Amino acid sequence: MQDIKRLQKHPKAECILSEPVWFQWVLIGVAVGFVIIFLIAPLLMVFGQALAKGWGAYWEAIREPDSFKAIQLTLLTAAISVPLNLIFGVVAAWLIAKFDFWGKNFLLTLIDLPFAISPIISGLIFVLLFGMQGLLGPWLSQYNIKIVFAVPGIILATVFVTFPFVARELIPVMQSLGSEEEEAALVLGANGWQTFFKVTLPNIKWGLLYGVILCNARAMGEFGAVSVVSGHIRGQTNTIPLQVEILYNEYNFTAAFAVASLLAFLALVTLIVKHVVEWKSGRHLSGTLH
Amino acid sequence: MRKSKNILPGFGPSLGYTVTYISLVLLIPLAMVFLKTFTMSWESFWKTVTDPRVLASYRLSFTASFAGAALNGIFGLLLAWVLVRYRFPGQKIIDALLDLPFAMPTAVAGISLTTLYSANGWFGQHLERIGIKVAYTPLGIVVALTFIGLPFVVRTIQPVLQDLDKEYEEAAASLGASRWQTFSRVIFPALVPSWLTGFTLAFARALGEYGSVVFISGNMPMRTEIAPLLIRTKLEQFDYTGATAIALVMMIISFILLLIINLLQSWNRRRLAQP
């Protein structure tokens, strides 16, 4: 210990316990350069191209009827899939964080599965299930129900792709909090729902908020899975990312980037929320430790 | 411990709900891939998944994903190091921006990267002058896959590096090790499990990626056609069984990668648990 104290006071300690200052700046320069090339430039490109012809053209592109319809469909998709996965996430996190049971790790792996599967396969499975050549397709068409290449298929594929997000955010938060507070509430006579809403929910609200925001960003931005199950009918089964693809492939770059900038903006909001949540929950967690 | 947990209500309903929901949303749809593949004979399955065009797409998907993950392995380690150990202006913003590829829709990233690297884009025009073509070549695919895999390595290494006890470095230095020796023999070995985890996560994500790649790749069969795109193409030609066969192969590879990631993570936990 004495030796180390002396070592730290040694004039050359900086050099032995850290890198030379010039070398630190080289490393910082390379790292920042990488971030500028791979992250900042693509982000600036979206807004730069979107506004290349001025705000007038930007608003024009977003208010164009087909793009406007795409925005509406995206909002509808998120409005259905996010609450479904929010309820699932809370229930699954309660189950996994509060109880020990056989097969828990297997259940956790299953929840992670959509992360590991290609979005194209996530779309394909719904075509195989509900398509005309699929398992339920002929039966559904008897009743004139259309699921794939229509709006229900888009919603189903989105639910599939986004279903781990809320659960994944909540499970570690609830595990680290333990069950003592809930047990105290129950012992004092609260019922299960009161315990959840008055004890658990206030403790997990920031993690829950971030999970929902992330789930929502993915629901609105999902491209691969949705592009497989969508019928690509303009103004009917196009979500925002699909509309971006169509506009881009028609060389209508300004309009494509204008519509894309809505999603890029949503991505930035997601990052800001994450930052705020980390700051808030960091304070909150250190508060409960005392 | 077990007994005290049992007083919490809702085990039965939450188990029932979770299992039902996972079965309806996840398991039944996924089972379709297996059901559909079983309608094929072994010969036709084998013929489909070893067709030269299919093999070329696997090869491309693998090499491009590996290259992207390797780039992230190098720069992710560097970024984690710089963000944890040094202080510099703009650090907080860079740290926050690193999650952008998680939050940014893939199609948006795809058109943006394509525009950047096309012949008259910000980067493309300069690279073109020195004879490097990025857009519509395999190199473009690597760029897109690097973008989408970027957060994985940084975010898995960062917490481990943060918790790394500086005493070991001080001990190495007091025993006469140079800074490079301390890094390569003391610090880096401690980071290896999380570094490999991050690499494998980035690789697995890149293998299945579609949205950011289709715009920049040019999608030429045998040359710049990735495996997920080939599934898509087969679907559009109503070759559902062909598409499903390729999907099954990719799913099996994904499951193996998932297993490797789980093993790496438990290795990582054991490492951290050691005194």
Side-chain angles (χ1 to χ4, degrees):
Chain A
M1 217 41 215
Q2 282 280 307
D3 281 348
I4 287 167
K5 285 265 164 61
R6 212 176 303 141
L7 191 75
Q8 283 168 334
K9 279 191 195 119
H10 194 273
K12 274 190 166 173
E14 274 298 297
C15 238
I16 303 167
L17 290 175
S18 185
E19 295 74 41
V21 174
W22 67 267
F23 190 64
Q24 292 190 5
W25 283 105
V26 170
L27 291 184
I28 291 171
V30 174
V32 171
F34 181 77
V35 170
I36 289 173
I37 291 173
F38 276 95
L39 289 182
I40 297 176
L43 187 63
L44 290 180
M45 192 67 176
V46 175
F47 293 106
Q49 289 283 320
L51 296 170
K53 289 183 186 156
W55 283 97
Y58 181 84
W59 284 121
E60 216 40 53
I62 288 173
R63 280 175 39 217
E64 194 267 330
D66 288 343
S67 297
F68 196 70
K69 274 273 188 218
I71 295 170
Q72 284 180 324
L73 180 57
T74 293
L75 290 176
L76 173 73
T77 308
I80 295 173
S81 54
V82 174
L84 278 177
N85 287 330
L86 166 67
I87 295 168
F88 166 74
V90 172
V91 175
W94 178 267
L95 175 73
I96 284 167
K98 305 289 183 197
F99 301 101
D100 275 322
F101 54 93
W102 185 82
K104 188 157 117 172
N105 281 328
F106 181 66
L107 201 63
L108 266 172
T109 312
L110 283 183
I111 293 174
D112 275 343
L113 219 49
F115 284 148
I117 290 170
S118 171
I120 290 295
I121 298 177
S122 310
L124 166 78
I125 54 181
F126 289 100
V127 176
L128 293 179
L129 198 55
F130 298 114
M132 273 311 282
Q133 288 186 38
L135 196 67
L136 302 174
W139 180 76
L140 285 169
S141 75
Q142 271 183 2
Y143 296 92
N144 244 335
I145 305 170
K146 218 165 147 45
I147 290 185
V148 282
F149 312 125
V151 174
I154 294 176
I155 294 169
L156 278 173
T158 308
V159 169
F160 178 92
V161 170
T162 58
F163 104 101
F165 285 95
V166 178
R168 260 290 151 208
E169 282 307 314
L170 282 187
I171 290 168
V173 175
M174 278 168 83
Q175 272 174 337
S176 73
L177 284 170
S179 306
E180 279 90 3
E181 290 185 38
E182 281 85 358
E183 281 159 11
L186 289 166
V187 167
L188 291 171
N191 68 29
W193 291 111
Q194 284 171 328
T195 308
F196 175 76
F197 282 107
K198 300 218 164 134
V199 178
T200 313
L201 199 59
N203 279 336
I204 61 170
K205 59 176 188 246
W206 293 112
L208 188 68
L209 175 67
Y210 182 54
V212 168
I213 289 281
L214 210 56
C215 182
N216 180 62
R218 186 68 196 273
M220 291 191 169
E222 177 52 31
F223 176 68
V226 167
S227 96
V228 172
V229 294
S230 156
H232 295 277
I233 307 161
R234 286 188 91 131
Q236 280 184 41
T237 56
N238 270 348
T239 58
I240 300 178
L242 298 176
Q243 181 71 10
V244 169
E245 183 193 28
I246 288 185
L247 291 169
Y248 186 84
N249 287 340
E250 285 170 348
Y251 302 102
N252 194 349
F253 295 134
T254 309
F257 277 103
V259 179
S261 73
L262 297 174
L263 294 173
F265 182 71
L266 181 69
L268 283 180
V269 171
T270 308
L271 294 188
I272 293 169
V273 169
K274 183 187 182 222
H275 203 72
V276 171
V277 164
E278 270 172 354
W279 179 61
K280 286 277 185 188
S281 64
R283 255 181 23 165
H284 182 82
L285 285 178
S286 64
T288 51
L289 282 177
H290 290 297
Chain B
M1 199 60 207
R2 229 196 126 75
K3 211 174 164 196
S4 70
K5 279 197 175 184
N6 278 348
I7 77 159
L8 290 178
F11 175 70
S14 61
L15 181 70
Y17 179 80
T18 306
V19 170
T20 313
Y21 192 82
I22 288 183
S23 308
L24 283 177
V25 172
L26 184 85
L27 294 180
I28 294 175
L30 272 182
M32 290 309 300
V33 173
F34 296 93
L35 278 180
K36 187 80 182 174
T37 317
F38 289 146
T39 64
M40 297 176 90
S41 69
W42 173 251
E43 287 79 34
S44 69
F45 173 77
W46 190 247
K47 225 183 120 196
T48 310
V49 298
T50 56
D51 175 73
R53 187 171 162 193
V54 178
L55 285 181
S57 77
Y58 292 148
R59 207 173 304 132
L60 176 68
S61 278
F62 264 91
T63 44
S65 301
F66 190 87
L71 266 176
N72 280 322
I74 298 164
F75 286 99
L77 179 64
L78 175 66
L79 269 164
W81 180 264
V82 163
L83 288 172
V84 172
R85 290 293 171 100
Y86 304 154
R87 292 287 161 267
F88 57 94
Q91 185 167 19
K92 283 247 166 74
I93 295 174
I94 298 240
D95 195 15
L97 266 181
L98 281 176
D99 286 314
L100 186 71
F102 285 158
M104 183 113 121
T106 53
V108 178
I111 62 168
S112 180
L113 289 171
T114 313
T115 313
L116 276 175
Y117 287 95
S118 66
N120 44 19
W122 291 350
F123 298 153
Q125 51 180 315
H126 300 294
L127 290 167
E128 197 100 324
R129 221 176 291 141
I130 53 171
I132 302 172
K133 270 178 100 82
V134 178
Y136 318 119
T137 70
L139 201 57
I141 302 175
V142 175
V143 168
L145 295 179
T146 308
F147 173 85
I148 56 123
L150 207 148
F152 290 102
V153 179
V154 192
R155 292 296 187 227
T156 45
I157 294 183
Q158 247 177 339
V160 184
L161 197 56
Q162 221 135 32
D163 292 343
L164 203 66
D165 210 328
K166 277 209 161 182
E167 270 175 32
Y168 295 109
E169 289 167 52
E170 287 164 357
S174 68
L175 291 170
S178 72
R179 190 61 190 159
W180 172 248
Q181 282 172 326
T182 309
F183 177 79
S184 61
R185 305 239 178 120
V186 178
I187 303 172
F188 187 67
L191 300 178
V192 164
S194 53
W195 188 61
L196 284 175
T197 309
F199 175 87
T200 318
L201 282 168
F203 181 71
R205 172 78 166 81
L207 266 188
E209 177 56 18
Y210 173 77
S212 59
V213 176
V214 282
F215 295 100
I216 205 168
S217 69
N219 307 328
M220 282 166 285
M222 306 297 293
R223 245 178 64 70
T224 55
E225 188 178 53
I226 53 165
L229 178 72
L230 195 53
I231 298 175
R232 180 75 212 278
T233 312
K234 296 234 179 231
L235 266 179
E236 273 169 358
Q237 296 160 349
F238 299 102
D239 179 7
Y240 286 14
T241 37
T244 313
I246 305 170
L248 181 71
V249 172
M250 288 203 57
M251 265 172 63
I252 291 170
I253 295 168
S254 302
F255 292 161
I256 294 170
L257 285 171
L258 204 64
L259 191 73
I260 294 174
I261 290 165
N262 277 331
L263 290 175
L264 282 170
Q265 273 168 342
S266 65
W267 180 30
N268 203 0
R269 271 195 298 273
R270 270 204 311 277
R271 264 291 183 82
L272 290 177
Q274 271 171 18

